[in-house]
Amino acid sequence: MDVRGDDGCRLWVEQAGAGSPLVFCHGGPGLWDYLGPVARLLDENARIIRWDQRGCGRSQRRGPYRLDRFVADLDAVRDQVAGPRTALLGHSWGAHLALRYAIEHPERVSHLIYVSGTGIDPDNGWHPHYKRNLRLRLGPQLDRWEALSAHARTPAEEREQAVLQWSADFAEQRTALDHAERMATPWLGINRECNQALNREVKQELRNSDMVRQCRALELPVLIICGTEDIRPRWAVDSLHHALVNSRRVSLAGASHHPWVEKPDDFRRAVTDFLKQ
């Protein structure tokens, strides 16, 4: 189905399952919803609502690419599909979007599931560690990834570069490229303008706003899920965990940035137990 944002932007939405609503926020920014496998893990316990963020995937390729606009789009999905109150699950960049929505509209959120996010550190201190770990994890694929990253790419090269980079987000390197290939199929194209604009704004937001104070005022239950093998250092999430007054943190051993892929049973158990609260 389609949802219309309050400015008329068309947003692609899909729902499955039965029960209380659970809205997903995919990562990126600038990607599309790749959380179908998570929906299949959870749709016996919740009504799963997935959507492509504006300018991305199957949604209308239209700006502006601003955090307040994405929060408003999420509110339109919540209002038109989920109902007056919903649980949220955000992955990576989507975890920050879901957190920002919960801060602005706590009365509209029952539970927040924050998966593989990077916390609220205003100094962005995790990023140098991520870049180093990415290069290490790429191993024999590093030279090709660097070559592709160094010049303007054709659409086929854009996909190849993304698959190589995404392969570093899986702990088991024997199967990492296969997992990354599945993420890139179908290939819907990365919106680089969206990616750059939102990453820039989030950095400014963390530097200039008092996210710690805002998180301390958030009383709804929050589940933080991380994989111990994520190349983004997990200590980056410490400041968020300490700021929240009602949070649980689950670290899945042997999992990386997509913990539902490598530890599906543990991931499902953590989420379903949390939603029963």
Side-chain angles (χ1 to χ4, degrees):
M1 68 177 70
D2 287 340
V3 163
R4 296 284 174 168
D6 62 14
D7 64 348
C9 183
R10 179 184 56 78
L11 304 170
W12 174 88
V13 177
E14 183 172 287
Q15 62 175 328
S20 298
L22 172 58
V23 177
F24 287 0
C25 296
H26 64 76
L31 301 183
W32 55 92
D33 178 85
Y34 47 77
L35 298 172
V38 185
R40 291 188 287 274
L41 282 175
L42 302 176
D43 63 8
E44 291 185 0
N45 299 281
R47 178 164 58 97
I48 306 299
I49 299 161
R50 299 156 50 209
W51 62 295
D52 284 347
Q53 294 156 23
R54 81 166 46 217
C56 304
R58 293 145 289 198
S59 288
Q60 186 175 359
R61 204 169 184 93
R62 168 181 170 183
Y65 303 125
R66 299 196 315 263
L67 186 54
D68 62 348
R69 175 45 50 198
F70 279 59
V71 168
D73 289 346
L74 176 51
D75 196 49
V77 173
R78 189 273 316 158
D79 178 57
Q80 297 174 43
V81 186
R85 198 161 180 252
T86 186
L88 295 178
L89 183 152
H91 174 247
S92 197
W93 134 256
H96 185 82
L97 174 59
L99 175 64
R100 170 47 64 195
Y101 183 88
I103 287 171
E104 295 192 20
H105 303 292
E107 74 285 356
R108 301 173 191 173
V109 181
S110 63
H111 302 71
L112 172 61
I113 304 164
Y114 184 98
V115 183
S116 302
T118 52
I120 55 174
D121 176 12
D123 297 324
N124 210 25
W126 61 272
H127 205 260
H129 298 268
Y130 162 73
K131 292 194 292 185
R132 180 194 65 199
N133 293 337
L134 170 64
R135 296 171 66 85
L136 290 171
R137 183 72 63 84
L138 283 171
Q141 309 293 342
L142 177 60
D143 289 346
R144 178 59 178 162
W145 175 81
E146 287 185 327
L148 290 166
S149 302
H151 60 77
R153 294 175 290 279
T154 66
E157 288 174 330
E158 180 81 350
R159 184 184 186 279
E160 182 186 1
Q161 193 260 0
V163 167
L164 291 176
Q165 183 159 327
W166 295 347
S167 73
D169 284 330
F170 299 94
E172 178 50 70
Q173 290 304 285
R174 290 177 300 174
T175 55
L177 280 171
D178 290 338
H179 290 316
E181 282 282 352
R182 280 191 285 272
M183 276 189 65
T185 306
W187 176 253
L188 300 179
I190 300 173
N191 187 330
R192 296 288 181 182
E193 179 187 358
C194 172
N195 177 275
Q196 292 167 8
L198 283 169
N199 279 334
R200 184 167 54 246
E201 184 180 358
V202 169
K203 289 178 183 178
Q204 293 173 348
E205 176 195 44
L206 293 177
R207 191 179 303 119
N208 299 326
S209 68
D210 189 357
M211 286 286 287
V212 171
R213 178 188 59 79
Q214 293 171 330
C215 289
R216 284 176 180 156
L218 194 63
E219 297 181 353
L220 61 88
V222 180
L223 174 65
I224 300 171
I225 303 182
C226 301
T228 60
E229 304 307 310
D230 198 332
I231 58 176
R232 298 150 190 82
R234 294 299 80 208
W235 49 255
V237 187
D238 291 350
S239 56
L240 171 64
H241 181 48
H242 295 326
L244 294 166
V245 298
N246 187 10
S247 67
R248 280 183 59 197
R249 188 170 181 178
V250 174
S251 295
L252 299 182
S256 192
H257 195 58
H258 303 265
W260 62 87
V261 173
E262 290 149 324
K263 297 292 180 180
D265 293 337
D266 293 340
F267 184 89
R268 180 199 294 114
R269 187 179 307 110
V271 172
T272 55
D273 288 351
F274 174 69
L275 291 174
K276 291 175 183 176
Q277 292 183 14

